[in-house]
Structure formats: structure tokens, C-alpha cells
Amino acid sequence: MNRLRALVALAAVVVALVLQVSLFPHLAWQGIVPNLCLLVVVAAALTIDAPSALLLGFAAGVALDLAPPADHVAGRWALALTVVAFLAARVRQDVRPTAVAVVGTVAAASFIGTSIFALTGLLLGDAWSVAELLRVIVVAVVWDVLLTPFVLPPLMKLFGRLDPRWASA
């Protein structure tokens, strides 16, 4: 990954993280906010090379783990977003994804990422009941899918411009 692409990707993560922890708590639905960092990671995984997307997923996860008001064991989001980056990169398979495939990828990535985060919390004693975790997962998936049309197309276009192999026609 060249330096410009890395800087743009990290800037996108920083902007997403700031919005996620500062603005979106005021718009929370049942106490749950959309995971903008997850959306940035999915956009990157669908647009840039897989190793770079994995690094970005890990970096975004660590940033989420350490950003206030984090109240969980650090590393849970890093694991979840790294797995999300891997799975989303596998979906791409050297073909530009369609709009339906992008929304489906976001829904699956949100479900898997939030589930990994929730299950590691359950194993580590950071989480509540299984019923509460299921509610959180469903609301998180709905949030992420609702924001997909507003977040992913501009990010994918931006990342595509930085890597001409994935630029839209």
C-alpha cells in the first residue's frame, strides 16, 4: 500500500472514529450507535488489496478499543475488525461488487464483527445476557445497513481513485 493510500485510509478511520464516539451517541437507537469504523474497513476491503485492508481493520479495531469511553478488554474490536476485513476482502474476488453484494457484505460483516465482539465479551465476562447480546447484534446490523448507501459509495470511490485497478468505470 503506498503512503498516500495509507494516509487516506487512516484519515477515514480517524474521521469515522471521531464521529462514532462524539456525534452518534446523541443519535443512539436503544443505546447502540452505528459502527462507522466497520463500514470504513468494509469499504477498504472491497476496494484495496487484502493485506492492506487487514492492517486497516486491525488499526481501526485497536483505535476503537482504546478510544474513550471504551469499557471493555482491549483487543476485542481489533480481532473483530480484522476478521471482517478478511471476509470482506474474500467477497471481492477481483471483481467490482454490485450494490446488492455491497449491502449484503455490510450486513454479514456487521453481524460477524458485532458477534465476535459480543461473544468475546461473554467469554471474558464483560457482557450481559445472551438475549441482550442478540438485541445489540440485530440493532447494530440494522444501523450499519441503513448507513451503507451514505458511507460506502463515497469511500469506495475514494479508495478506487487511489488504486486505479479498482476504480469504477
Side-chain angles (χ1 to χ4, degrees):
M1 178 153 82
N2 66 31
R3 288 182 191 191
L4 177 62
R5 199 172 338 139
L7 288 174
V8 169
L10 288 176
V13 168
V14 169
V15 169
L17 181 64
V18 168
L19 288 173
Q20 187 171 329
V21 300
S22 64
L23 175 66
F24 279 98
H26 301 291
L27 305 171
W29 178 27
Q30 297 184 12
I32 302 155
V33 299
N35 194 335
L36 294 177
C37 289
L38 181 136
L39 295 177
V40 170
V41 169
V42 171
L46 291 174
T47 314
I48 64 176
D49 58 298
S52 299
L54 288 170
L55 285 172
L56 184 66
F58 180 76
V62 168
L64 263 178
D65 283 328
L66 300 178
D71 60 351
H72 59 273
V73 175
R76 289 171 53 198
W77 276 119
L79 172 66
L81 292 185
T82 303
V83 171
V84 162
F86 174 77
L87 295 175
R90 295 292 299 159
V91 166
R92 185 185 69 212
Q93 295 292 324
D94 299 329
V95 178
R96 291 240 356 127
T98 64
V100 173
V102 168
V103 173
T105 301
V106 167
S110 180
F111 176 79
I112 291 167
T114 308
S115 295
I116 289 171
F117 180 79
L119 290 174
T120 56
L122 195 62
L123 291 173
L124 295 171
D126 280 355
W128 315 285
S129 68
V130 173
E132 181 69 17
L133 293 178
L134 291 174
R135 183 186 66 79
V136 168
I137 291 168
V138 169
V139 173
V141 169
V142 170
W143 255 129
D144 293 341
V145 168
L146 286 175
L147 285 182
T148 297
F150 305 106
V151 176
L152 261 69
L155 279 176
M156 290 176 70
K157 190 171 193 167
L158 175 66
F159 291 143
R161 284 186 177 193
L162 297 173
D163 189 351
R165 293 174 297 170
W166 301 110
S168 57

